[in-house]
Amino acid sequence: MKKLGILAGICLAFLFISSTLDASDKTPVKGELNMPENIKAIIDKSCFGCHNTDSKNEDAKEDLDFKTFDSLSKVKKIGALRHIAEVVEEGEMPPKRFLERFPERKLTEEEAKTLTEWVKKEASALIKQ
Amino acid sequence: MKKLLRILFIVVIIGAIVIQFFRPEKNLGTSTPDHIFEKEQVPENVKTILKNACMDCHSDQTNYLWYHNIVPVAWMINDHIVEGKEELNFSEWGQMDTFDKIGALEEICREVERKKMPIKAYVQMHKEAKLTEEQVAALCTWTEKLSEELIGAE
């Protein structure tokens, strides 16, 4: 009877651990991005909708996937950051068609500046690492 | 009616002759020490790919074909060159910072892998610009390696 109790305990512990692991897979996006909160907020508002693994926009997620961003190699990360800086500075992103449907997702001048400054700082830190 | 057609034909011919005097300036700069081939150790196979498929629009030296001198073809070619050099000019490689260089290298690989570069119109006229899978792989291996070296050099 005691052995059965131990076995049940092990099974319960195993179930608990596996459920925790499963939950971590479904953590909200914000937790997966290793970046300051203000940057996360900007990305969540204007970029993440299309640039994530579960997006239906194949081109967008092929270009940049924020869900897998942290697992990219240093070179790929710098390349992606350069791309972000370029499209934001040139006002190419978010795309005009998208903004026609969701005008509230447009980056304000201040947000665009904050994002590009962070991108350059982050890239510079990666290059010097 | 015949007379009208004749006048129209003459006007078109005269117009075609007149526009020949409005050719854009040719992209025939001299090679500078800032050129990527001067700044980086580029393997011969990659150099060949870059020369055959990229340099005409992404450097200060374009190899013109005879019909590129004829307007309006000359205007179209010039637009491609201006746009290409705005995106990336290998002749100015030495003036770029590491961030821009790595960004450009990543983009080179991405564009050729997705067959967005070289553009179709260019490949139709330059058969040697059509990249094989091996050439794309060689290009991407080189861009990755050079990026790593650039980071290491900082």
Side-chain angles (χ1 to χ4, degrees), chain B residues 78-97:
Chain B
N78 191 57
D79 280 351
H80 286 310
I81 295 167
V82 170
E83 206 179 313
K85 281 167 68 174
E86 249 173 42
E87 283 294 324
L88 171 65
N89 186 352
F90 284 115
S91 296
E92 293 174 355
W93 186 257
Q95 297 164 29
M96 291 162 64
D97 63 25

Side-chain angles (χ1 to χ4, degrees), chain B residues 5 14 21 24 28 32 58 74 81 95 100 103-104 108-109 118 128 150:
Chain B
L5 275 175
I14 292 172
F21 292 99
L28 292 170
T32 64
H58 293 286
I81 295 167
Q95 297 164 29
D100 286 342
I108 292 169
C109 176
E128 70 282 5
L150 288 166

Side-chain angles (χ1 to χ4, degrees), chain A residues 23 25 47 82 107:
Chain A
D25 280 348
C47 323
R82 178 70 190 82
L107 290 170

Side-chain angles (χ1 to χ4, degrees), chain A residues 3-121:
Chain A
K3 275 184 186 171
L4 258 178
I6 294 168
L7 197 66
I10 292 171
C11 285
L12 277 173
F14 179 75
L15 277 172
F16 174 72
I17 290 167
S18 53
S19 70
T20 328
L21 284 174
D22 189 41
S24 70
D25 280 348
K26 291 170 187 164
T27 335
V29 178
K30 288 183 177 182
E32 292 178 12
L33 294 171
N34 184 22
M35 48 186 74
E37 285 304 319
N38 62 329
I39 302 298
K40 272 185 207 172
I42 296 171
I43 288 172
D44 265 350
K45 176 191 150 192
S46 302
C47 323
F48 194 84
C50 296
H51 293 284
N52 81 85
T53 319
D54 305 319
S55 163
K56 285 178 187 164
N57 187 334
E58 297 294 329
D59 283 346
K61 70 181 179 192
E62 203 181 338
D63 258 345
L64 177 63
D65 181 350
F66 281 107
K67 265 197 174 179
T68 56
F69 185 79
D70 282 336
S71 60
L72 292 177
S73 70
K74 197 193 275 189
V75 166
K76 297 274 174 210
K77 228 180 238 183
I78 297 167
L81 290 167
R82 178 70 190 82
H83 197 57
I84 295 172
E86 193 180 335
V87 296
V88 171
E89 276 179 338
E90 290 175 10
E92 288 175 13
M93 285 285 154
K96 277 181 189 164
R97 273 191 190 175
F98 173 79
L99 292 177
E100 280 168 13
R101 289 175 60 203
F102 307 100
E104 71 281 4
R105 307 265 174 167
K106 186 175 165 58
L107 290 170
T108 63
E109 269 184 39
E110 202 182 327
E111 285 171 335
K113 190 170 168 256
T114 309
L115 187 57
T116 46
E117 276 174 3
W118 172 78
V119 155
K120 285 174 186 174
K121 204 174 119 197

